[in-house]
Amino acid sequence: MKKANVKNYKSDQEVRWCAGCGDFAVLNAVYKAMAEMNIPTEDIAVVSGIGCSSRFPYYMGTYGFHGIHGRASAISSGVKVANPKLSVWQITGDGDALAIGGNHFIHVIRRNIDMNLILFNNQIYGLTKGQYSPTSKMGAKTKSSPFGTVEQPFNPGELVIGARGKFFARVVDANIKMCTEIFKEAEKHKGLSAVEVLQNCVIFNEGIYNFINDKKEKSDRQIFLKDNQAMIFGKNKDKGLMMDGFKLKVVEIGKNGITEDDILIHDAQENDTVLHNALINMHPPEFPIAMGVIRAVKEQHYDDLVEKQIKEVQEKTSIRNMDDLLNSGSVWEVK
Amino acid sequence: MSKKIDTIVLEEVVIKFSGDSGDGMQLTGTQFSNTSALIGQDVSTFPDYPAEIRAPQGTVGGVSGFQLNFGSKAIKTPGDFADVLVAMNPAALKANARWIKEGGTIIIDSDTFNKKNFKKAEFKSEKPFEELKLEDRNIIQAPISFLTKETLKGMGMTTKNVLRSKNMFTLGIIYWLFNEPLDLSINFFKKKFKKLPKVAKANEMALRAGFNYAGTVEALPRNYKVAPASIEKGFYRNVSGNVATAWGLIAGAERADLNLFIGSYPITPATEILQELTARKDLGVKAFQAEDEIAGICTAIGASFAGNLGVTTTSGPGLALKGEAIGLAVITELPLVIVNVQRGGPSTGLPTKTEQSDLMQALYGRNGESPAVVIAATTPSDCFYYAYEACRIAVEHMTPVILLTDGFLANGAEPWRIPKMDDLPKIKPPFAKIGEKYLPYKRELEKLNRKWAVPGTKGLEHRIGGLEKMEITGNVSYVPENHEVMSKQRAEKVKRVENFIPELKIYGDEDAHLLIVGWGGTYGHLLTALNEMRKDGKKVALAHFNYIFPLPKNTFDVLSKFKKIVIAELNLGQFANYLRMNFPSLEYLQYNKIQGLPFTVVELKENFNKILEAK
Ligand SMILES: Cc1ncc(C[n+]2csc(CCOP(=O)(O)OP(=O)(O)O)c2C)c(N)n1
Ligand code: SF4
Ligand SMILES: [Mg+2]
């Protein structure tokens, strides 16, 4: 496929995030993914809610809609169902999607509307200057939790699965290459593709994802999952994942008689959620954090079913316009 | 059995069918009103559903009613008080006791008037008529259950199924009483129970038996005849306010050549609009039952952004939830229709009852300077035209429009002369031109609307949203002066809608001593009161508003001609205060009612007469 020029996807507006904000990298990855897939700019609609990340549409050379806080899922649902030919990208934050917009988030996933939902998880409310969010770790000290939070965070992937999601991927802002690749996977997948971006907020939550980005340690601390490939990771590709009863465990290849053949093969297309859920829930230090496409299951999607149903009904009906409807059923003449 | 029967000619009759939820009163009422409409009488109907969905059988809470007013003159309301009440059980009698005319007739199923049912209906005694002070009414005690069972003996049906036909026995009695033909209902049974010929037969037999019974019993010494009304020639159908609203929305989209998208969440009394639109896949309607009202309107906004005509339908509590998103439609200047079927409030209030108390919410229930057009429908059938109007204004002026109807209009029904789509003006969406440089907030001179650029169109890529935008370019802008410019432009754009709506007109006497002012769903009652007062020789006039924001341009000129103005509305004075704010130099009297019920013509006349007499 011929690549388009990245410049086509940029608007003329100055990008206004704090210097060093992870959002810049994600923006560039989105430009690249779109250009590499050569999606015509006029066929793209980028829809967001409110938050730092939600300023995104203004920086796109595509169609864009900056909505209201929490409602990006609903607005983008309307865009896609009304105009199913569009490639719809929903941009949302951890507050936008999981606090005020939690209801719409689970329902857009449940309906499996064909769009890419990019969730910027910086575990903080950036735009309102540093209050904790539904993904902030228990005990996080923030502007609105000076003594630490006393509530459990959501794990977004787990929510996606709970809402019967069919696609979930995780990437980290610092890895533009990975972001680009996964955004392309998300776009290719028919149905709702949820991508959690681990995003650094330099101002209010600096460094929370350093453990993944650390040059020396990152290959031990994360596993980049690929469909049909063994779940192997580590600097020396000597670690892998195996099942231990109903749980996952990390093993060392070559030790205790374990060979590459014993390592689990990733099956993103498996509809059963048990292993996907276990992968989503892996945390350091015991486990590497799972990156890449964790789940990508083919399933009918809402927008398409709507079109099909309309077509089916229209093939059978004798009512083709409003005049027909008005004169259908019980009608009488006054002479 | 050649009994001599006097037939008395009447101009107008109000009948109320009432019984337990399971007694089939809605069907019975609809059958009578369809027959009456078909033979050319004018009709207006109103169902009265039980407040509780599963109230225990036989209790007052479980009574379901259907009122209809039919006549040889123009009928504008379902009537205040019933000439004939059908009560299928004691609870139905109790629930409707205060709505029977002096000298009216009550027909009961005497088989249900027993100790057990008196207790369920919480009668203190076993003398329901005395207890309710109804002894002086013309009471006809017909053993309807028994006679239905006798009629259908030998059909091989269970007693339970046999008793299902007792409503048709009752309908037969009423058909006889008003000299109405049976064939329409018989054909209806045949069609409806095509696959169950036995049921069709049983209903027909019960209907005929009721008719014959009424013709033979001494209790009904005479019957009545209502002549056809002189109504305009043409094809007619029955339509309820909610269905008319749904169809008006489709009509609006069709005349604009747009796809209709509805995003809604069910809520009484608006749900039926959503249901009707979900059924209209044949006409390509995309209906989205959202997870809540906010998602409903937000999907509609997304749909409008994407080039559909987005609409959302709700009632008061839902409108409250939609407030923030209406503001989003105001600032993004997209077409959007919000239908609000008003019910009793605040909070959950009286969900099944009617009221006009969301006016201020519709006008002002949002943050910021957030002007949206507000219009109101006045009869069940004109919900069609005002839904179409809402679409026209929303699309051509690029603005959200709130259409107010109410529980009374929504559930009420009347015969409606079927319009032709070609008679409704085309709606012209102000699409941006391909090939021209697109500036999202560049305005058209006449209406001040911006242009609509639909995603999928090459070269018109742009970004809009909830943040304030620079005029013309549409870039995000915090420039103080620009905010003022944009606020004023948004206000002026909505104000200019006044140049594209009809002027306010007056019914009645130009030189009236009293001008009655109303808006929305009270039209039928106010007009009937006006006509009756004028018949009594009073000089009165009526100004009834469909267009609330902006008001018709001639509003002040009309109002200021009259010495006395009374504003009648089903709230505590919201429209009165709105007029006071707009035209403070005039003096306004008020007549308000807030009982979840429509006005009665009787109370209106009484109060207007008092005002006329006062110095
Ligand atoms: C109805 C409403 N409530 C509250 C706000 C204030 N607000 C704006 S953004 C935000 C949180 C943003 O956090 P997140 O979604 O995580 O985005 P981020 O800024 O971190 O990218 C809040 C509380 C608002 N704009 N609207
Ligand atoms: S506050 Fe944080 S999330 Fe927001 S722009 Fe600055 S660095 Fe980025
Ligand atoms: Mg955040």
Side-chain angles (χ1 to χ4, degrees), chain B residues 155-202:
Chain B
M155 288 282 287
M157 295 164 76
T158 61
T159 312
K160 199 175 148 205
N161 280 341
V162 162
L163 284 179
R164 287 221 173 111
S165 294
K166 69 182 177 183
N167 59 338
M168 289 304 125
F169 189 96
T170 314
L171 182 62
I173 299 178
I174 304 296
Y175 275 159
W176 181 86
L177 194 59
F178 294 102
N179 258 296
E180 306 267 323
L182 304 184
D183 42 324
L184 185 87
S185 290
I186 292 170
N187 285 337
F188 167 81
F189 304 144
K190 284 188 181 143
K191 243 196 200 153
K192 177 161 178 173
F193 301 113
K194 213 174 186 167
K195 296 208 177 92
L196 300 165
K198 204 184 210 176
V199 178
K201 188 77 203 154

Short mmCIF file of all heavy atoms in Angstrom, two decimals, chain B residues 155-202:
data_model
loop_
_atom_site.label_atom_id
_atom_site.label_comp_id
_atom_site.label_asym_id
_atom_site.label_seq_id
_atom_site.Cartn_x
_atom_site.Cartn_y
_atom_site.Cartn_z
N MET B 155 -69.36 -22.63 22.88
CA MET B 155 -68.27 -22.33 21.94
C MET B 155 -67.04 -23.18 22.27
O MET B 155 -66.04 -23.14 21.56
CB MET B 155 -67.87 -20.85 22.03
CG MET B 155 -68.87 -19.89 21.45
SD MET B 155 -68.81 -19.83 19.65
CE MET B 155 -67.30 -18.94 19.37
N GLY B 156 -67.12 -23.86 23.41
CA GLY B 156 -65.98 -24.67 23.82
C GLY B 156 -64.80 -23.84 24.29
O GLY B 156 -63.65 -24.22 24.09
N MET B 157 -65.10 -22.70 24.89
CA MET B 157 -64.00 -21.85 25.38
C MET B 157 -64.00 -21.86 26.90
O MET B 157 -65.03 -22.07 27.53
CB MET B 157 -64.18 -20.40 24.89
CG MET B 157 -64.08 -20.27 23.38
SD MET B 157 -64.73 -18.69 22.80
CE MET B 157 -63.41 -17.58 23.25
N THR B 158 -62.82 -21.58 27.50
CA THR B 158 -62.76 -21.51 28.96
C THR B 158 -63.50 -20.25 29.41
O THR B 158 -63.62 -19.28 28.65
CB THR B 158 -61.30 -21.40 29.43
OG1 THR B 158 -60.75 -20.19 28.88
CG2 THR B 158 -60.47 -22.59 28.97
N THR B 159 -63.93 -20.26 30.67
CA THR B 159 -64.65 -19.10 31.19
C THR B 159 -63.79 -17.85 31.10
O THR B 159 -64.26 -16.77 30.77
CB THR B 159 -65.02 -19.33 32.68
OG1 THR B 159 -65.61 -20.62 32.77
CG2 THR B 159 -65.98 -18.29 33.18
N LYS B 160 -62.51 -18.04 31.37
CA LYS B 160 -61.60 -16.91 31.33
C LYS B 160 -61.58 -16.28 29.92
O LYS B 160 -61.67 -15.06 29.77
CB LYS B 160 -60.19 -17.38 31.71
CG LYS B 160 -59.28 -16.26 32.14
CD LYS B 160 -57.95 -16.81 32.63
CE LYS B 160 -56.86 -15.82 32.30
NZ LYS B 160 -55.55 -16.42 32.19
N ASN B 161 -61.50 -17.14 28.93
CA ASN B 161 -61.49 -16.62 27.55
C ASN B 161 -62.83 -16.04 27.15
O ASN B 161 -62.88 -15.05 26.42
CB ASN B 161 -61.08 -17.72 26.58
CG ASN B 161 -59.56 -17.91 26.58
OD1 ASN B 161 -58.83 -17.01 27.00
ND2 ASN B 161 -59.10 -19.06 26.15
N VAL B 162 -63.90 -16.65 27.62
CA VAL B 162 -65.23 -16.12 27.31
C VAL B 162 -65.37 -14.70 27.86
O VAL B 162 -65.82 -13.79 27.17
CB VAL B 162 -66.32 -17.05 27.91
CG1 VAL B 162 -67.65 -16.33 28.00
CG2 VAL B 162 -66.42 -18.33 27.08
N LEU B 163 -64.90 -14.54 29.10
CA LEU B 163 -65.06 -13.22 29.74
C LEU B 163 -64.23 -12.14 29.07
O LEU B 163 -64.50 -10.96 29.25
CB LEU B 163 -64.74 -13.32 31.24
CG LEU B 163 -65.86 -13.98 32.06
CD1 LEU B 163 -65.46 -14.07 33.53
CD2 LEU B 163 -67.18 -13.22 31.92
N ARG B 164 -63.23 -12.55 28.29
CA ARG B 164 -62.47 -11.55 27.54
C ARG B 164 -63.35 -10.79 26.57
O ARG B 164 -62.99 -9.70 26.12
CB ARG B 164 -61.38 -12.25 26.71
CG ARG B 164 -60.24 -12.74 27.55
CD ARG B 164 -58.91 -12.47 26.86
NE ARG B 164 -57.84 -12.83 27.78
CZ ARG B 164 -57.02 -13.86 27.61
NH1 ARG B 164 -57.14 -14.62 26.55
NH2 ARG B 164 -56.10 -14.13 28.50
N SER B 165 -64.47 -11.38 26.19
CA SER B 165 -65.33 -10.73 25.20
C SER B 165 -66.37 -9.82 25.84
O SER B 165 -67.20 -9.24 25.14
CB SER B 165 -66.04 -11.78 24.36
OG SER B 165 -65.11 -12.48 23.58
N LYS B 166 -66.34 -9.68 27.18
CA LYS B 166 -67.41 -8.88 27.78
C LYS B 166 -67.29 -7.40 27.41
O LYS B 166 -68.29 -6.68 27.38
CB LYS B 166 -67.50 -9.10 29.29
CG LYS B 166 -66.38 -8.56 30.10
CD LYS B 166 -66.58 -8.89 31.57
CE LYS B 166 -65.38 -8.37 32.34
NZ LYS B 166 -65.42 -8.69 33.75
N ASN B 167 -66.08 -6.97 27.06
CA ASN B 167 -65.96 -5.58 26.62
C ASN B 167 -66.70 -5.37 25.30
O ASN B 167 -67.26 -4.31 25.04
CB ASN B 167 -64.49 -5.15 26.50
CG ASN B 167 -63.68 -6.01 25.54
OD1 ASN B 167 -64.05 -7.13 25.25
ND2 ASN B 167 -62.57 -5.47 25.06
N MET B 168 -66.74 -6.42 24.47
CA MET B 168 -67.43 -6.28 23.19
C MET B 168 -68.94 -6.32 23.37
O MET B 168 -69.68 -5.66 22.64
CB MET B 168 -66.96 -7.38 22.22
CG MET B 168 -65.53 -7.15 21.76
SD MET B 168 -65.35 -5.51 21.00
CE MET B 168 -64.02 -4.80 21.95
N PHE B 169 -69.40 -7.06 24.37
CA PHE B 169 -70.82 -7.03 24.71
C PHE B 169 -71.19 -5.59 25.10
O PHE B 169 -72.19 -5.03 24.65
CB PHE B 169 -71.09 -8.00 25.88
CG PHE B 169 -72.55 -8.19 26.18
CD1 PHE B 169 -73.24 -9.27 25.65
CD2 PHE B 169 -73.24 -7.28 26.98
CE1 PHE B 169 -74.59 -9.45 25.92
CE2 PHE B 169 -74.58 -7.44 27.25
CZ PHE B 169 -75.27 -8.54 26.72
N THR B 170 -70.31 -4.99 25.90
CA THR B 170 -70.54 -3.62 26.35
C THR B 170 -70.53 -2.66 25.17
O THR B 170 -71.37 -1.76 25.07
CB THR B 170 -69.42 -3.21 27.33
OG1 THR B 170 -69.23 -4.27 28.26
CG2 THR B 170 -69.75 -1.94 28.05
N LEU B 171 -69.58 -2.87 24.27
CA LEU B 171 -69.49 -2.00 23.09
C LEU B 171 -70.79 -2.10 22.28
O LEU B 171 -71.29 -1.10 21.77
CB LEU B 171 -68.28 -2.40 22.24
CG LEU B 171 -68.02 -1.56 20.98
CD1 LEU B 171 -67.72 -0.10 21.34
CD2 LEU B 171 -66.84 -2.14 20.17
N GLY B 172 -71.34 -3.32 22.20
CA GLY B 172 -72.61 -3.51 21.50
C GLY B 172 -73.71 -2.64 22.10
O GLY B 172 -74.50 -2.02 21.38
N ILE B 173 -73.75 -2.61 23.42
CA ILE B 173 -74.76 -1.77 24.10
C ILE B 173 -74.59 -0.32 23.68
O ILE B 173 -75.54 0.38 23.34
CB ILE B 173 -74.64 -1.88 25.64
CG1 ILE B 173 -74.85 -3.32 26.09
CG2 ILE B 173 -75.59 -0.92 26.33
CD1 ILE B 173 -74.71 -3.54 27.60
N ILE B 174 -73.34 0.15 23.68
CA ILE B 174 -73.08 1.57 23.39
C ILE B 174 -73.35 1.87 21.91
O ILE B 174 -73.86 2.93 21.57
CB ILE B 174 -71.63 1.95 23.78
CG1 ILE B 174 -71.38 1.63 25.25
CG2 ILE B 174 -71.34 3.42 23.52
CD1 ILE B 174 -72.20 2.41 26.24
N TYR B 175 -73.01 0.92 21.06
CA TYR B 175 -73.34 1.11 19.64
C TYR B 175 -74.85 1.29 19.45
O TYR B 175 -75.31 2.14 18.69
CB TYR B 175 -72.85 -0.09 18.80
CG TYR B 175 -71.39 -0.01 18.36
CD1 TYR B 175 -70.70 -1.16 18.01
CD2 TYR B 175 -70.72 1.21 18.27
CE1 TYR B 175 -69.36 -1.11 17.59
CE2 TYR B 175 -69.40 1.26 17.84
CZ TYR B 175 -68.73 0.10 17.51
OH TYR B 175 -67.42 0.17 17.08
N TRP B 176 -75.61 0.47 20.16
CA TRP B 176 -77.07 0.60 20.04
C TRP B 176 -77.52 1.98 20.55
O TRP B 176 -78.32 2.66 19.92
CB TRP B 176 -77.77 -0.51 20.84
CG TRP B 176 -79.27 -0.39 20.70
CD1 TRP B 176 -80.04 -0.92 19.70
CD2 TRP B 176 -80.15 0.35 21.55
NE1 TRP B 176 -81.35 -0.55 19.87
CE2 TRP B 176 -81.45 0.23 21.00
CE3 TRP B 176 -79.99 1.10 22.72
CZ2 TRP B 176 -82.58 0.83 21.58
CZ3 TRP B 176 -81.10 1.71 23.30
CH2 TRP B 176 -82.39 1.57 22.73
N LEU B 177 -76.95 2.34 21.68
CA LEU B 177 -77.37 3.58 22.33
C LEU B 177 -77.17 4.78 21.43
O LEU B 177 -77.94 5.74 21.47
CB LEU B 177 -76.58 3.74 23.63
CG LEU B 177 -77.05 4.77 24.66
CD1 LEU B 177 -78.47 4.47 25.11
CD2 LEU B 177 -76.11 4.77 25.86
N PHE B 178 -76.13 4.73 20.59
CA PHE B 178 -75.85 5.88 19.73
C PHE B 178 -76.04 5.59 18.25
O PHE B 178 -75.54 6.32 17.41
CB PHE B 178 -74.44 6.42 20.02
CG PHE B 178 -74.37 6.99 21.41
CD1 PHE B 178 -73.78 6.28 22.43
CD2 PHE B 178 -74.96 8.22 21.70
CE1 PHE B 178 -73.75 6.79 23.73
CE2 PHE B 178 -74.94 8.73 22.99
CZ PHE B 178 -74.33 8.00 24.01
N ASN B 179 -76.77 4.49 17.99
CA ASN B 179 -77.12 4.21 16.60
C ASN B 179 -75.92 4.12 15.68
O ASN B 179 -75.94 4.64 14.56
CB ASN B 179 -78.03 5.34 16.08
CG ASN B 179 -79.46 4.89 16.05
OD1 ASN B 179 -79.80 3.96 15.32
ND2 ASN B 179 -80.29 5.53 16.87
N GLU B 180 -74.85 3.49 16.15
CA GLU B 180 -73.65 3.39 15.33
C GLU B 180 -73.60 2.00 14.69
O GLU B 180 -74.08 1.03 15.29
CB GLU B 180 -72.39 3.62 16.18
CG GLU B 180 -72.38 4.91 16.97
CD GLU B 180 -71.70 6.09 16.27
OE1 GLU B 180 -70.70 5.87 15.58
OE2 GLU B 180 -72.18 7.23 16.42
N PRO B 181 -73.02 1.89 13.51
CA PRO B 181 -72.99 0.59 12.83
C PRO B 181 -71.96 -0.37 13.44
O PRO B 181 -70.96 0.06 14.01
CB PRO B 181 -72.57 0.96 11.40
CG PRO B 181 -71.80 2.23 11.56
CD PRO B 181 -72.40 2.96 12.72
N LEU B 182 -72.24 -1.69 13.30
CA LEU B 182 -71.36 -2.70 13.89
C LEU B 182 -70.27 -3.20 12.95
O LEU B 182 -69.29 -3.80 13.38
CB LEU B 182 -72.19 -3.94 14.29
CG LEU B 182 -73.37 -3.74 15.22
CD1 LEU B 182 -73.99 -5.09 15.55
CD2 LEU B 182 -72.94 -3.05 16.51
N ASP B 183 -70.47 -2.97 11.65
CA ASP B 183 -69.61 -3.69 10.70
C ASP B 183 -68.13 -3.35 10.80
O ASP B 183 -67.28 -4.21 10.59
CB ASP B 183 -70.12 -3.51 9.26
CG ASP B 183 -70.55 -2.10 8.98
OD1 ASP B 183 -71.10 -1.46 9.90
OD2 ASP B 183 -70.33 -1.61 7.86
N LEU B 184 -67.80 -2.11 11.15
CA LEU B 184 -66.38 -1.76 11.22
C LEU B 184 -65.66 -2.64 12.25
O LEU B 184 -64.59 -3.18 12.01
CB LEU B 184 -66.21 -0.28 11.58
CG LEU B 184 -64.76 0.13 11.55
CD1 LEU B 184 -64.35 0.57 10.15
CD2 LEU B 184 -64.48 1.23 12.55
N SER B 185 -66.30 -2.81 13.42
CA SER B 185 -65.67 -3.62 14.46
C SER B 185 -65.63 -5.08 14.06
O SER B 185 -64.64 -5.78 14.33
CB SER B 185 -66.43 -3.46 15.78
OG SER B 185 -66.21 -2.16 16.29
N ILE B 186 -66.69 -5.55 13.42
CA ILE B 186 -66.72 -6.96 13.01
C ILE B 186 -65.59 -7.23 12.01
O ILE B 186 -64.87 -8.23 12.13
CB ILE B 186 -68.11 -7.33 12.45
CG1 ILE B 186 -69.12 -7.28 13.60
CG2 ILE B 186 -68.09 -8.71 11.79
CD1 ILE B 186 -70.57 -7.38 13.20
N ASN B 187 -65.40 -6.32 11.08
CA ASN B 187 -64.29 -6.48 10.15
C ASN B 187 -62.95 -6.44 10.86
O ASN B 187 -62.02 -7.15 10.49
CB ASN B 187 -64.32 -5.37 9.08
CG ASN B 187 -65.42 -5.64 8.08
OD1 ASN B 187 -65.85 -6.77 7.91
ND2 ASN B 187 -65.89 -4.59 7.44
N PHE B 188 -62.89 -5.60 11.87
CA PHE B 188 -61.65 -5.51 12.63
C PHE B 188 -61.32 -6.85 13.30
O PHE B 188 -60.19 -7.32 13.24
CB PHE B 188 -61.79 -4.39 13.68
CG PHE B 188 -60.71 -4.38 14.72
CD1 PHE B 188 -59.47 -3.81 14.45
CD2 PHE B 188 -60.91 -4.97 15.97
CE1 PHE B 188 -58.46 -3.82 15.40
CE2 PHE B 188 -59.91 -4.98 16.92
CZ PHE B 188 -58.68 -4.40 16.64
N PHE B 189 -62.33 -7.49 13.91
CA PHE B 189 -62.08 -8.80 14.56
C PHE B 189 -61.58 -9.80 13.52
O PHE B 189 -60.69 -10.58 13.77
CB PHE B 189 -63.35 -9.41 15.17
CG PHE B 189 -64.04 -8.53 16.17
CD1 PHE B 189 -65.44 -8.52 16.24
CD2 PHE B 189 -63.32 -7.73 17.05
CE1 PHE B 189 -66.08 -7.72 17.16
CE2 PHE B 189 -63.97 -6.93 17.97
CZ PHE B 189 -65.36 -6.92 18.03
N LYS B 190 -62.22 -9.77 12.36
CA LYS B 190 -61.88 -10.76 11.33
C LYS B 190 -60.43 -10.61 10.91
O LYS B 190 -59.73 -11.59 10.69
CB LYS B 190 -62.80 -10.60 10.12
CG LYS B 190 -64.18 -11.17 10.40
CD LYS B 190 -65.06 -11.23 9.17
CE LYS B 190 -66.43 -11.80 9.55
NZ LYS B 190 -67.52 -11.15 8.81
N LYS B 191 -59.99 -9.35 10.81
CA LYS B 191 -58.61 -9.11 10.41
C LYS B 191 -57.65 -9.46 11.54
O LYS B 191 -56.67 -10.17 11.35
CB LYS B 191 -58.45 -7.62 10.08
CG LYS B 191 -58.08 -7.39 8.61
CD LYS B 191 -57.56 -5.99 8.48
CE LYS B 191 -57.62 -5.49 7.05
NZ LYS B 191 -57.75 -4.04 7.01
N LYS B 192 -57.98 -8.93 12.72
CA LYS B 192 -57.06 -9.08 13.84
C LYS B 192 -56.91 -10.55 14.24
O LYS B 192 -55.84 -10.99 14.61
CB LYS B 192 -57.56 -8.25 15.03
CG LYS B 192 -56.69 -8.44 16.25
CD LYS B 192 -56.81 -7.37 17.28
CE LYS B 192 -55.90 -7.78 18.43
NZ LYS B 192 -55.72 -6.86 19.45
N PHE B 193 -57.98 -11.29 14.20
CA PHE B 193 -57.93 -12.70 14.63
C PHE B 193 -58.03 -13.64 13.44
O PHE B 193 -58.70 -14.66 13.49
CB PHE B 193 -59.04 -12.98 15.65
CG PHE B 193 -58.95 -12.13 16.87
CD1 PHE B 193 -59.93 -11.17 17.15
CD2 PHE B 193 -57.88 -12.25 17.76
CE1 PHE B 193 -59.85 -10.38 18.28
CE2 PHE B 193 -57.81 -11.45 18.90
CZ PHE B 193 -58.79 -10.51 19.16
N LYS B 194 -57.36 -13.26 12.37
CA LYS B 194 -57.38 -14.05 11.15
C LYS B 194 -57.01 -15.51 11.44
O LYS B 194 -57.62 -16.43 10.91
CB LYS B 194 -56.34 -13.46 10.19
CG LYS B 194 -56.72 -13.59 8.74
CD LYS B 194 -55.70 -12.84 7.91
CE LYS B 194 -56.11 -12.80 6.46
NZ LYS B 194 -55.29 -11.83 5.73
N LYS B 195 -56.01 -15.66 12.31
CA LYS B 195 -55.54 -17.01 12.60
C LYS B 195 -56.34 -17.67 13.71
O LYS B 195 -56.11 -18.83 14.04
CB LYS B 195 -54.06 -16.97 12.96
CG LYS B 195 -53.21 -16.48 11.78
CD LYS B 195 -51.81 -17.04 11.81
CE LYS B 195 -51.02 -16.60 10.60
NZ LYS B 195 -50.24 -15.36 10.83
N LEU B 196 -57.22 -16.92 14.36
CA LEU B 196 -58.02 -17.47 15.45
C LEU B 196 -59.50 -17.20 15.16
O LEU B 196 -60.14 -16.40 15.83
CB LEU B 196 -57.64 -16.81 16.78
CG LEU B 196 -56.19 -16.97 17.26
CD1 LEU B 196 -55.87 -15.97 18.36
CD2 LEU B 196 -55.96 -18.39 17.77
N PRO B 197 -60.04 -17.87 14.15
CA PRO B 197 -61.41 -17.55 13.73
C PRO B 197 -62.43 -17.70 14.86
O PRO B 197 -63.44 -16.98 14.89
CB PRO B 197 -61.69 -18.56 12.61
CG PRO B 197 -60.58 -19.55 12.64
CD PRO B 197 -59.44 -18.94 13.35
N LYS B 198 -62.13 -18.57 15.81
CA LYS B 198 -63.07 -18.76 16.92
C LYS B 198 -63.15 -17.49 17.77
O LYS B 198 -64.23 -17.09 18.20
CB LYS B 198 -62.56 -19.92 17.78
CG LYS B 198 -63.63 -20.60 18.59
CD LYS B 198 -62.96 -21.63 19.45
CE LYS B 198 -63.85 -22.81 19.73
NZ LYS B 198 -63.11 -23.83 20.49
N VAL B 199 -62.01 -16.90 18.00
CA VAL B 199 -61.98 -15.67 18.81
C VAL B 199 -62.71 -14.55 18.06
O VAL B 199 -63.47 -13.78 18.66
CB VAL B 199 -60.52 -15.26 19.12
CG1 VAL B 199 -60.47 -13.97 19.92
CG2 VAL B 199 -59.80 -16.38 19.87
N ALA B 200 -62.48 -14.48 16.76
CA ALA B 200 -63.16 -13.46 15.97
C ALA B 200 -64.67 -13.65 16.08
O ALA B 200 -65.43 -12.69 16.30
CB ALA B 200 -62.72 -13.54 14.51
N LYS B 201 -65.09 -14.89 15.97
CA LYS B 201 -66.52 -15.20 16.03
C LYS B 201 -67.09 -14.83 17.40
O LYS B 201 -68.17 -14.24 17.50
CB LYS B 201 -66.69 -16.71 15.75
CG LYS B 201 -68.12 -17.17 15.60
CD LYS B 201 -68.66 -16.80 14.21
CE LYS B 201 -70.19 -16.73 14.28
NZ LYS B 201 -70.79 -15.86 13.28
N ALA B 202 -66.35 -15.21 18.46
CA ALA B 202 -66.83 -14.95 19.81
C ALA B 202 -67.02 -13.44 20.03
O ALA B 202 -68.03 -13.00 20.58
CB ALA B 202 -65.84 -15.51 20.83
#
